[in-house]
Coordinates of all heavy atoms in Angstrom, one line a residue:
M1 N -13.7 30.0 -19.8 CA -12.5 30.1 -18.9 C -12.6 29.1 -17.8 O -11.7 28.3 -17.5 CB -12.4 31.5 -18.3 CG -11.6 32.5 -19.1 SD -10.1 31.8 -19.7 CE -8.9 33.0 -19.0
I2 N -13.8 29.1 -17.1 CA -13.9 28.1 -16.0 C -13.8 26.7 -16.5 O -13.1 25.9 -15.9 CB -15.3 28.3 -15.3 CG1 -15.3 29.6 -14.6 CG2 -15.6 27.1 -14.4 CD1 -16.6 30.1 -14.2
R3 N -14.4 26.4 -17.6 CA -14.3 25.1 -18.2 C -12.9 24.7 -18.5 O -12.5 23.6 -18.3 CB -15.1 25.0 -19.5 CG -16.4 24.3 -19.4 CD -17.3 24.5 -20.6 NE -18.6 24.1 -20.3 CZ -19.1 22.9 -20.2 NH1 -18.4 21.9 -20.5 NH2 -20.4 22.7 -19.9
F4 N -12.2 25.7 -19.1 CA -10.8 25.4 -19.5 C -10.0 25.0 -18.2 O -9.3 24.0 -18.2 CB -10.2 26.6 -20.2 CG -8.8 26.4 -20.5 CD1 -8.4 25.6 -21.6 CD2 -7.8 27.1 -19.8 CE1 -7.1 25.4 -21.9 CE2 -6.5 26.9 -20.1 CZ -6.1 26.0 -21.2
S5 N -10.1 25.8 -17.2 CA -9.3 25.5 -16.0 C -9.7 24.2 -15.4 O -8.8 23.5 -14.8 CB -9.4 26.6 -15.0 OG -10.7 26.8 -14.6
R6 N -11.0 23.8 -15.5 CA -11.4 22.5 -14.9 C -10.7 21.4 -15.7 O -10.2 20.4 -15.1 CB -12.9 22.3 -15.1 CG -13.6 22.8 -14.0 CD -15.0 22.2 -14.0 NE -15.7 22.8 -12.9 CZ -17.0 22.4 -12.6 NH1 -17.5 21.5 -13.4 NH2 -17.6 22.9 -11.6
L7 N -10.6 21.6 -17.0 CA -9.9 20.5 -17.8 C -8.5 20.4 -17.4 O -7.9 19.3 -17.5 CB -10.0 20.9 -19.3 CG -11.4 20.7 -20.0 CD1 -11.4 21.2 -21.4 CD2 -11.7 19.2 -19.9
V8 N -7.9 21.4 -17.0 CA -6.5 21.4 -16.6 C -6.4 20.7 -15.2 O -5.5 19.9 -15.0 CB -5.9 22.8 -16.6 CG1 -4.4 22.7 -16.0 CG2 -5.9 23.3 -18.0
V9 N -7.3 21.0 -14.3 CA -7.2 20.5 -13.0 C -7.5 19.0 -12.9 O -6.8 18.3 -12.2 CB -8.2 21.3 -12.0 CG1 -8.3 20.6 -10.7 CG2 -7.7 22.8 -11.9
V10 N -8.5 18.6 -13.6 CA -8.9 17.2 -13.4 C -7.8 16.2 -13.7 O -7.5 15.3 -12.9 CB -10.2 16.9 -14.2 CG1 -10.5 15.4 -14.2 CG2 -11.4 17.6 -13.5
P11 N -7.1 16.3 -14.9 CA -6.1 15.3 -15.1 C -5.0 15.4 -14.1 O -4.4 14.3 -13.7 CB -5.5 15.7 -16.5 CG -6.6 16.5 -17.1 CD -7.3 17.2 -16.0
S12 N -4.6 16.5 -13.6 CA -3.5 16.6 -12.6 C -4.0 15.9 -11.3 O -3.2 15.3 -10.6 CB -3.0 18.0 -12.4 OG -4.0 18.8 -11.9
A13 N -5.3 16.1 -11.0 CA -5.8 15.5 -9.8 C -5.8 14.0 -9.9 O -5.4 13.3 -9.0 CB -7.2 16.0 -9.5
L14 N -6.1 13.5 -11.1 CA -6.1 12.0 -11.3 C -4.6 11.5 -11.2 O -4.4 10.5 -10.7 CB -6.6 11.7 -12.7 CG -8.2 11.8 -12.8 CD1 -8.6 11.5 -14.3 CD2 -8.8 10.7 -11.9
A15 N -3.7 12.3 -11.8 CA -2.3 11.9 -11.7 C -1.8 11.8 -10.3 O -1.1 10.9 -9.9 CB -1.5 12.9 -12.5
M16 N -2.3 12.8 -9.5 CA -2.0 12.7 -8.1 C -2.5 11.5 -7.4 O -1.8 10.9 -6.6 CB -2.5 14.0 -7.3 CG -1.5 15.2 -7.5 SD -2.3 16.6 -6.7 CE -2.4 16.1 -5.0
L17 N -3.8 11.2 -7.7 CA -4.4 10.0 -7.1 C -3.6 8.8 -7.5 O -3.3 7.9 -6.6 CB -5.8 9.9 -7.6 CG -6.9 10.7 -6.8 CD1 -8.2 10.4 -7.5 CD2 -6.9 10.3 -5.4
A18 N -3.2 8.7 -8.7 CA -2.5 7.5 -9.2 C -1.1 7.5 -8.5 O -0.6 6.5 -8.1 CB -2.3 7.5 -10.7
G19 N -0.5 8.7 -8.4 CA 0.8 8.7 -7.8 C 0.8 8.4 -6.3 O 1.8 8.0 -5.8
C20 N -0.3 8.6 -5.6 CA -0.4 8.4 -4.2 C -0.1 7.0 -3.8 O 0.3 6.7 -2.7 CB -1.7 8.9 -3.6 SG -1.7 10.6 -3.1
G21 N -0.4 6.1 -4.8 CA -0.1 4.7 -4.5 C 1.3 4.3 -4.6 O 1.7 3.3 -4.2
S22 N 2.1 5.2 -5.1 CA 3.5 4.9 -5.3 C 4.3 5.2 -4.1 O 3.9 5.9 -3.2 CB 4.1 5.6 -6.5 OG 4.3 7.0 -6.1
A23 N 5.5 4.6 -4.0 CA 6.3 4.7 -2.9 C 6.7 6.1 -2.6 O 7.0 6.5 -1.5 CB 7.6 3.8 -3.1
A24 N 6.7 6.9 -3.7 CA 7.2 8.3 -3.5 C 6.3 9.1 -2.5 O 6.8 10.0 -1.9 CB 7.2 9.0 -4.9
H25 N 5.0 8.8 -2.5 CA 4.1 9.5 -1.6 C 3.9 8.8 -0.3 O 3.2 9.3 0.6 CB 2.8 9.7 -2.3 CG 2.9 10.6 -3.5 ND1 2.5 12.0 -3.4 CD2 3.3 10.4 -4.7 CE1 2.7 12.5 -4.6 NE2 3.2 11.6 -5.4
A26 N 4.4 7.7 -0.1 CA 4.2 6.9 1.1 C 5.3 7.1 2.1 O 6.3 7.7 1.8 CB 4.1 5.4 0.8
D27 N 5.0 6.8 3.3 CA 5.9 7.0 4.4 C 6.5 5.7 4.9 O 5.8 4.9 5.7 CB 5.1 7.7 5.5 CG 6.0 8.1 6.7 OD1 7.2 7.6 6.8 OD2 5.6 8.9 7.6
A28 N 7.7 5.3 4.4 CA 8.2 4.0 4.8 C 8.5 3.9 6.3 O 8.4 2.8 6.8 CB 9.5 3.8 4.0
A29 N 8.8 5.0 6.9 CA 9.1 4.9 8.4 C 7.8 4.5 9.1 O 7.8 3.7 10.0 CB 9.6 6.3 8.9
A30 N 6.7 5.1 8.7 CA 5.4 4.7 9.3 C 5.1 3.3 9.0 O 4.6 2.5 9.8 CB 4.3 5.7 8.8
G31 N 5.4 2.9 7.8 CA 5.2 1.6 7.3 C 6.0 0.6 8.2 O 5.5 -0.5 8.5
K32 N 7.2 1.0 8.5 CA 8.0 0.1 9.4 C 7.3 -0.2 10.7 O 7.3 -1.3 11.2 CB 9.4 0.7 9.6 CG 10.3 -0.2 10.4 CD 11.7 0.4 10.5 CE 12.6 -0.6 11.2 NZ 14.0 -0.1 11.3
S33 N 6.8 0.8 11.3 CA 6.1 0.6 12.6 C 4.9 -0.3 12.4 O 4.7 -1.2 13.3 CB 5.6 1.9 13.2 OG 6.3 3.0 12.8
T34 N 4.1 -0.1 11.3 CA 3.0 -1.0 11.1 C 3.5 -2.4 10.9 O 2.9 -3.4 11.5 CB 2.2 -0.5 9.9 OG1 1.8 0.8 10.1 CG2 1.0 -1.4 9.6
F35 N 4.5 -2.6 10.1 CA 5.0 -3.9 9.8 C 5.5 -4.6 11.1 O 5.2 -5.8 11.3 CB 6.1 -3.9 8.8 CG 6.5 -5.2 8.3 CD1 5.9 -5.8 7.1 CD2 7.5 -6.0 8.9 CE1 6.2 -7.0 6.7 CE2 7.8 -7.3 8.5 CZ 7.2 -7.8 7.4
T36 N 6.2 -3.8 11.9 CA 6.8 -4.4 13.1 C 5.7 -4.8 14.0 O 5.7 -5.9 14.7 CB 7.7 -3.4 13.8 OG1 8.7 -3.0 12.8 CG2 8.4 -4.0 15.0
A37 N 4.6 -4.0 14.1 CA 3.5 -4.2 15.1 C 2.6 -5.3 14.6 O 2.1 -6.1 15.4 CB 2.8 -2.9 15.3
V38 N 2.4 -5.4 13.3 CA 1.3 -6.2 12.8 C 1.8 -7.5 12.0 O 1.2 -8.5 12.1 CB 0.3 -5.5 11.9 CG1 -0.9 -6.3 11.5 CG2 -0.1 -4.2 12.5
C39 N 2.9 -7.3 11.3 CA 3.3 -8.4 10.3 C 4.5 -9.2 10.8 O 4.6 -10.3 10.4 CB 3.6 -7.7 9.0 SG 2.5 -6.4 8.5
A40 N 5.4 -8.5 11.5 CA 6.7 -9.1 11.8 C 6.6 -10.5 12.6 O 7.5 -11.3 12.5 CB 7.6 -8.2 12.6
E41 N 5.5 -10.6 13.3 CA 5.2 -11.8 14.0 C 5.3 -13.1 13.0 O 5.8 -14.1 13.5 CB 3.8 -11.7 14.6 CG 3.1 -12.9 15.2 CD 1.6 -12.7 15.4 OE1 1.2 -11.5 15.3 OE2 1.0 -13.7 15.6
C42 N 4.9 -12.9 11.8 CA 4.9 -14.0 10.8 C 5.8 -13.8 9.7 O 6.2 -14.7 9.0 CB 3.5 -14.2 10.3 SG 2.3 -14.6 11.6
H43 N 6.1 -12.5 9.3 CA 6.9 -12.3 8.1 C 8.3 -11.6 8.4 O 8.4 -10.8 9.3 CB 6.2 -11.3 7.2 CG 4.9 -11.9 6.6 ND1 5.0 -12.9 5.6 CD2 3.6 -11.6 6.8 CE1 3.7 -13.2 5.3 NE2 2.9 -12.5 6.0
D44 N 9.2 -11.9 7.6 CA 10.5 -11.2 7.6 C 10.4 -10.3 6.4 O 10.2 -10.7 5.3 CB 11.6 -12.3 7.3 CG 13.0 -11.7 7.4 OD1 13.1 -10.4 7.3 OD2 14.0 -12.4 7.6
V45 N 10.7 -9.0 6.7 CA 10.5 -8.0 5.7 C 11.4 -8.3 4.4 O 11.0 -7.9 3.3 CB 10.8 -6.5 6.2 CG1 12.3 -6.4 6.6 CG2 10.3 -5.5 5.3
A46 N 12.5 -8.9 4.7 CA 13.5 -9.2 3.6 C 12.8 -10.1 2.5 O 13.2 -10.1 1.3 CB 14.7 -9.9 4.1
D47 N 11.8 -10.9 2.9 CA 11.1 -11.7 2.0 C 10.4 -11.0 0.9 O 10.0 -11.5 -0.2 CB 10.1 -12.6 2.7 CG 10.8 -13.7 3.6 OD1 12.0 -13.9 3.4 OD2 10.1 -14.3 4.4
F48 N 10.1 -9.7 1.2 CA 9.3 -8.9 0.2 C 10.1 -7.9 -0.6 O 9.6 -7.3 -1.5 CB 8.2 -8.2 1.0 CG 7.2 -9.0 1.7 CD1 7.3 -9.2 3.1 CD2 6.2 -9.7 1.0 CE1 6.4 -10.0 3.8 CE2 5.3 -10.5 1.7 CZ 5.4 -10.7 3.1
E49 N 11.4 -7.9 -0.3 CA 12.2 -6.9 -0.9 C 12.2 -7.1 -2.5 O 12.3 -8.2 -3.0 CB 13.7 -7.0 -0.4 CG 14.5 -5.9 -0.9 CD 15.9 -6.0 -0.3 OE1 16.1 -6.7 0.7 OE2 16.8 -5.3 -0.8
G50 N 12.1 -6.0 -3.2 CA 12.1 -6.0 -4.6 C 10.8 -6.4 -5.3 O 10.7 -6.5 -6.5
E51 N 9.8 -6.7 -4.5 CA 8.5 -7.1 -5.1 C 7.9 -5.8 -5.7 O 8.2 -4.7 -5.3 CB 7.6 -7.7 -4.0 CG 8.1 -9.0 -3.4 CD 7.1 -10.1 -3.5 OE1 5.9 -9.8 -3.8 OE2 7.5 -11.2 -3.2
D52 N 6.9 -6.1 -6.6 CA 6.2 -4.9 -7.2 C 5.3 -4.3 -6.3 O 4.4 -4.9 -5.8 CB 5.5 -5.5 -8.5 CG 4.9 -4.3 -9.2 OD1 5.6 -3.7 -10.0 OD2 3.7 -4.1 -9.1
A53 N 5.5 -3.0 -6.0 CA 4.7 -2.3 -5.0 C 3.3 -2.2 -5.4 O 2.4 -2.4 -4.5 CB 5.3 -0.9 -4.8
T54 N 3.0 -1.9 -6.6 CA 1.6 -1.8 -7.1 C 0.8 -3.1 -6.9 O -0.3 -3.1 -6.4 CB 1.5 -1.3 -8.5 OG1 2.3 -0.2 -8.7 CG2 0.1 -1.0 -8.9
A55 N 1.5 -4.2 -7.3 CA 0.9 -5.5 -7.1 C 0.6 -5.8 -5.7 O -0.4 -6.3 -5.3 CB 1.7 -6.5 -7.8
M56 N 1.6 -5.5 -4.8 CA 1.5 -5.8 -3.4 C 0.4 -5.0 -2.8 O -0.4 -5.5 -1.9 CB 2.8 -5.6 -2.7 CG 2.7 -6.1 -1.3 SD 4.2 -6.2 -0.4 CE 5.0 -7.4 -1.3
Q57 N 0.2 -3.7 -3.2 CA -0.9 -2.9 -2.6 C -2.2 -3.6 -3.0 O -3.1 -3.6 -2.2 CB -0.8 -1.5 -3.2 CG 0.3 -0.7 -2.5 CD 0.1 0.8 -2.7 OE1 -1.1 1.2 -2.9 NE2 1.1 1.5 -2.8
G58 N -2.3 -4.0 -4.2 CA -3.5 -4.7 -4.6 C -3.8 -5.9 -3.8 O -4.9 -6.2 -3.4
T59 N -2.8 -6.7 -3.6 CA -2.9 -7.9 -2.8 C -3.4 -7.6 -1.4 O -4.3 -8.2 -0.9 CB -1.6 -8.7 -2.7 OG1 -1.1 -9.0 -4.0 CG2 -1.7 -9.9 -1.9
L60 N -2.8 -6.6 -0.8 CA -3.1 -6.2 0.6 C -4.5 -5.7 0.7 O -5.3 -6.0 1.6 CB -2.1 -5.2 1.2 CG -0.7 -5.8 1.4 CD1 0.2 -4.7 1.9 CD2 -0.7 -7.0 2.4
K61 N -4.9 -4.9 -0.3 CA -6.3 -4.3 -0.3 C -7.3 -5.5 -0.4 O -8.3 -5.5 0.3 CB -6.5 -3.4 -1.5 CG -5.9 -2.0 -1.1 CD -6.1 -1.0 -2.3 CE -5.3 0.3 -1.9 NZ -5.3 1.3 -3.0
Q62 N -7.0 -6.5 -1.2 CA -7.9 -7.6 -1.3 C -7.9 -8.4 0.0 O -8.9 -9.0 0.4 CB -7.4 -8.6 -2.4 CG -7.7 -7.9 -3.8 CD -7.4 -8.9 -4.9 OE1 -6.3 -9.5 -4.9 NE2 -8.2 -9.0 -5.9
M63 N -6.7 -8.5 0.7 CA -6.7 -9.2 2.0 C -7.6 -8.4 3.0 O -8.3 -9.1 3.8 CB -5.2 -9.3 2.5 CG -4.4 -10.3 1.8 SD -2.7 -10.1 2.3 CE -1.9 -11.5 1.4
V64 N -7.5 -7.1 3.0 CA -8.3 -6.3 3.9 C -9.8 -6.5 3.6 O -10.6 -6.6 4.5 CB -7.9 -4.8 3.9 CG1 -8.8 -3.9 4.6 CG2 -6.5 -4.6 4.4
A65 N -10.1 -6.5 2.3 CA -11.5 -6.7 1.9 C -12.0 -8.1 2.1 O -13.2 -8.3 2.1 CB -11.6 -6.3 0.4
G66 N -11.1 -9.0 2.3 CA -11.4 -10.4 2.6 C -11.6 -11.2 1.3 O -12.0 -12.3 1.3
T67 N -11.3 -10.6 0.1 CA -11.4 -11.3 -1.1 C -10.2 -12.1 -1.4 O -10.2 -13.0 -2.3 CB -11.7 -10.3 -2.3 OG1 -10.7 -9.3 -2.3 CG2 -13.1 -9.7 -2.2
Q68 N -9.1 -11.9 -0.7 CA -8.0 -12.8 -0.8 C -7.7 -13.4 0.5 O -7.6 -12.7 1.5 CB -6.7 -12.1 -1.4 CG -5.5 -12.9 -1.3 CD -4.5 -12.6 -2.4 OE1 -4.8 -12.0 -3.4 NE2 -3.3 -13.1 -2.2
K69 N -7.5 -14.7 0.6 CA -7.3 -15.4 1.8 C -5.9 -15.0 2.4 O -4.9 -14.9 1.6 CB -7.4 -16.9 1.7 CG -8.8 -17.4 1.7 CD -8.9 -18.9 1.8 CE -8.9 -19.4 3.2 NZ -9.2 -20.8 3.3
H70 N -5.8 -14.9 3.7 CA -4.5 -14.6 4.3 C -4.6 -15.2 5.7 O -5.7 -15.2 6.3 CB -4.3 -13.1 4.3 CG -3.0 -12.7 4.9 ND1 -2.9 -11.9 6.1 CD2 -1.7 -13.0 4.6 CE1 -1.6 -11.8 6.3 NE2 -0.8 -12.4 5.5
K71 N -3.5 -15.6 6.2 CA -3.5 -16.2 7.5 C -4.1 -15.4 8.6 O -4.9 -15.8 9.4 CB -2.0 -16.5 7.9 CG -1.8 -17.0 9.2 CD -1.7 -18.5 9.2 CE -1.3 -19.0 10.6 NZ -1.3 -20.5 10.7
K72 N -3.9 -14.1 8.5 CA -4.4 -13.1 9.5 C -5.3 -12.2 8.8 O -5.0 -11.6 7.7 CB -3.3 -12.4 10.1 CG -3.7 -11.4 11.2 CD -2.5 -10.7 11.8 CE -2.8 -9.6 12.7 NZ -3.1 -10.0 14.1
A73 N -6.5 -11.9 9.3 CA -7.4 -10.9 8.8 C -6.8 -9.5 9.0 O -6.5 -9.2 10.2 CB -8.8 -11.0 9.5
L74 N -6.5 -8.8 8.0 CA -5.8 -7.5 8.1 C -6.8 -6.4 8.2 O -7.8 -6.4 7.4 CB -4.9 -7.3 6.9 CG -3.7 -8.4 6.8 CD1 -2.9 -8.0 5.5 CD2 -2.9 -8.4 8.0
Q75 N -6.5 -5.4 9.0 CA -7.3 -4.2 9.1 C -6.3 -3.0 8.9 O -5.7 -2.6 9.9 CB -8.0 -4.1 10.5 CG -9.1 -5.1 10.6 CD -9.9 -4.9 11.9 OE1 -9.3 -4.6 12.9 NE2 -11.2 -5.0 11.8
L76 N -6.3 -2.6 7.7 CA -5.3 -1.5 7.4 C -6.1 -0.5 6.5 O -6.9 -0.8 5.7 CB -4.1 -2.0 6.6 CG -3.2 -3.1 7.3 CD1 -2.3 -3.6 6.2 CD2 -2.5 -2.5 8.5
T77 N -5.8 0.8 6.7 CA -6.3 1.8 5.8 C -5.5 1.8 4.5 O -4.4 1.3 4.5 CB -6.2 3.2 6.5 OG1 -4.8 3.6 6.6 CG2 -6.9 3.3 7.8
D78 N -6.0 2.5 3.5 CA -5.3 2.6 2.3 C -3.9 3.3 2.5 O -2.9 2.9 1.9 CB -6.1 3.4 1.2 CG -7.2 2.5 0.6 OD1 -7.3 1.3 1.0 OD2 -7.9 3.0 -0.2
A79 N -3.9 4.3 3.4 CA -2.7 5.0 3.6 C -1.7 4.0 4.4 O -0.5 4.0 4.0 CB -2.9 6.2 4.5
Q80 N -2.2 3.2 5.3 CA -1.3 2.3 6.0 C -0.7 1.3 5.0 O 0.4 0.8 5.1 CB -2.1 1.6 7.1 CG -2.2 2.4 8.3 CD -3.0 1.7 9.4 OE1 -4.1 1.2 9.1 NE2 -2.5 1.7 10.6
I81 N -1.6 0.8 4.1 CA -1.1 -0.1 3.0 C 0.0 0.5 2.2 O 1.0 -0.1 2.0 CB -2.3 -0.6 2.1 CG1 -3.2 -1.5 2.9 CG2 -1.8 -1.3 0.9 CD1 -4.5 -1.9 2.2
A82 N -0.2 1.8 1.8 CA 0.8 2.4 1.0 C 2.1 2.5 1.7 O 3.2 2.3 1.2 CB 0.3 3.8 0.5
D83 N 2.0 2.9 3.0 CA 3.2 3.0 3.8 C 3.9 1.7 4.0 O 5.1 1.6 3.9 CB 2.8 3.6 5.2 CG 2.4 5.1 5.1 OD1 2.5 5.7 4.0 OD2 1.8 5.6 6.1
V84 N 3.1 0.7 4.4 CA 3.8 -0.6 4.7 C 4.4 -1.2 3.5 O 5.5 -1.8 3.5 CB 2.8 -1.5 5.4 CG1 1.9 -2.3 4.5 CG2 3.5 -2.5 6.4
V85 N 3.8 -1.0 2.3 CA 4.3 -1.5 1.1 C 5.6 -0.8 0.7 O 6.6 -1.4 0.2 CB 3.3 -1.4 -0.1 CG1 3.9 -1.6 -1.4 CG2 2.2 -2.4 0.1
A86 N 5.6 0.5 1.0 CA 6.9 1.3 0.7 C 8.0 0.8 1.5 O 9.1 0.6 1.1 CB 6.6 2.8 1.0
Y87 N 7.7 0.4 2.8 CA 8.7 -0.2 3.6 C 9.1 -1.6 3.2 O 10.3 -1.9 3.0 CB 8.2 -0.2 5.1 CG 9.1 -1.0 6.0 CD1 10.4 -0.6 6.3 CD2 8.6 -2.2 6.6 CE1 11.2 -1.3 7.1 CE2 9.5 -2.9 7.5 CZ 10.8 -2.5 7.7 OH 11.6 -3.2 8.5
M88 N 8.1 -2.4 2.9 CA 8.4 -3.8 2.5 C 9.2 -3.9 1.2 O 10.2 -4.6 1.1 CB 7.1 -4.6 2.4 CG 6.4 -4.8 3.7 SD 4.7 -5.2 3.5 CE 4.8 -6.8 2.9
T89 N 8.8 -3.2 0.2 CA 9.4 -3.3 -1.1 C 10.7 -2.5 -1.2 O 11.5 -2.8 -2.0 CB 8.4 -2.9 -2.2 OG1 8.1 -1.5 -2.0 CG2 7.2 -3.8 -2.3
G90 N 10.8 -1.5 -0.3 CA 12.1 -0.7 -0.3 C 13.2 -1.5 0.3 O 14.4 -1.2 0.1
G91 N 12.8 -2.5 1.1 CA 13.8 -3.4 1.8 C 14.7 -2.6 2.8 O 15.8 -3.0 3.1
E92 N 14.1 -1.6 3.4 CA 14.8 -0.8 4.4 C 14.8 -1.5 5.7 O 13.9 -2.1 6.1 CB 14.2 0.6 4.5 CG 14.6 1.5 3.4 CD 13.8 2.8 3.4 OE1 13.8 3.4 4.5 OE2 13.2 3.1 2.4
Ligands
HEC101 C1 -0.5 -14.8 11.8 C2 0.6 -14.7 10.8 C3 0.6 -13.6 9.8 C4 0.6 -12.3 10.0 C5 0.5 -11.5 11.3 C6 0.7 -11.7 8.7 N1 0.8 -12.6 7.7 FE1 1.0 -12.3 5.7 N2 1.0 -14.3 5.4 C7 1.0 -15.3 6.4 C8 1.1 -16.6 5.7 C9 1.1 -17.9 6.5 C10 1.1 -16.4 4.4 C11 1.2 -17.4 3.2 C12 2.5 -18.1 3.1 C13 3.5 -17.1 2.6 O1 3.4 -16.6 1.5 O2 4.5 -16.8 3.4 C14 1.1 -14.9 4.2 C15 1.2 -14.3 2.9 C16 1.4 -12.9 2.8 C17 1.6 -12.3 1.5 C18 1.8 -13.0 0.2 C19 0.5 -13.2 -0.5 C20 0.7 -13.7 -2.0 O3 -0.1 -13.3 -2.8 O4 1.7 -14.3 -2.2 C21 1.7 -11.0 1.7 C22 2.0 -9.9 0.7 C23 1.5 -10.8 3.2 N3 1.3 -12.0 3.7 C24 1.6 -9.6 3.8 C25 1.4 -9.4 5.1 C26 1.4 -8.1 5.8 C27 1.6 -6.8 5.0 C28 1.1 -8.3 7.1 C29 0.9 -7.2 8.1 C30 0.0 -6.1 7.8 C31 1.0 -9.7 7.3 N4 1.1 -10.3 6.1 C32 0.7 -10.3 8.5 C33 0.9 -15.1 7.7 C34 0.8 -13.8 8.4

């Protein structure tokens, strides 16, 4: 019984983890504040509209990690990245 319920729980937990990266779980309003405070100095949000959210999250994570070069060294948490990407790609 215990084993069975574990098997049920694990895939749904994984699905949630995967889903957390998507715009559906992110807070675009919080992302807007981050973008305005940190990115707007150099970027116009409209430039990112319609871009692939998953790809952009990957890019930003690499920028934070320093494995992708970027004009400004970014310091963002994964949650901030998800939020800011939701805002940027949503084009709001
Ligand atoms: C000091 C200026 C500056 C700031 C601040 C800045 N960027 Fe950039 N960013 C650039 C420049 C310059 C480029 C490279 C030229 C371009 O693509 O516009 C770039 C490129 C990018 C790219 C495209 C990378 C690619 O692979 O094409 C993304 C995405 C990006 N920035 C996101 C952000 C986000 C998100 C923030 C805020 C958290 C931010 N940037 C803050 C200057 C800045």
Side-chain angles (χ1 to χ4, degrees):
M1 270 315 239
I2 289 162
R3 254 171 199 275
F4 177 74
S5 58
R6 272 198 182 183
L7 283 175
V8 174
V9 167
V10 170
S12 62
L14 284 176
M16 274 175 63
L17 275 179
C20 272
S22 75
H25 292 261
D27 182 348
K32 181 176 184 175
S33 330
T34 302
F35 189 90
T36 306
V38 187
C39 322
E41 169 193 347
C42 302
H43 291 291
D44 184 341
V45 69
D47 291 346
F48 300 104
E49 191 176 343
E51 297 233 352
D52 183 80
T54 308
M56 187 171 294
Q57 285 198 29
T59 301
L60 291 178
K61 282 181 187 177
Q62 287 184 317
M63 286 173 175
V64 170
T67 49
Q68 171 149 342
K69 278 190 90 171
H70 182 242
K71 175 96 172 171
K72 182 182 173 78
L74 298 179
Q75 288 187 321
L76 301 170
T77 64
D78 283 359
Q80 283 178 311
I81 289 175
D83 292 349
V84 85
V85 166
Y87 171 62
M88 290 160 75
T89 59
E92 283 169 52

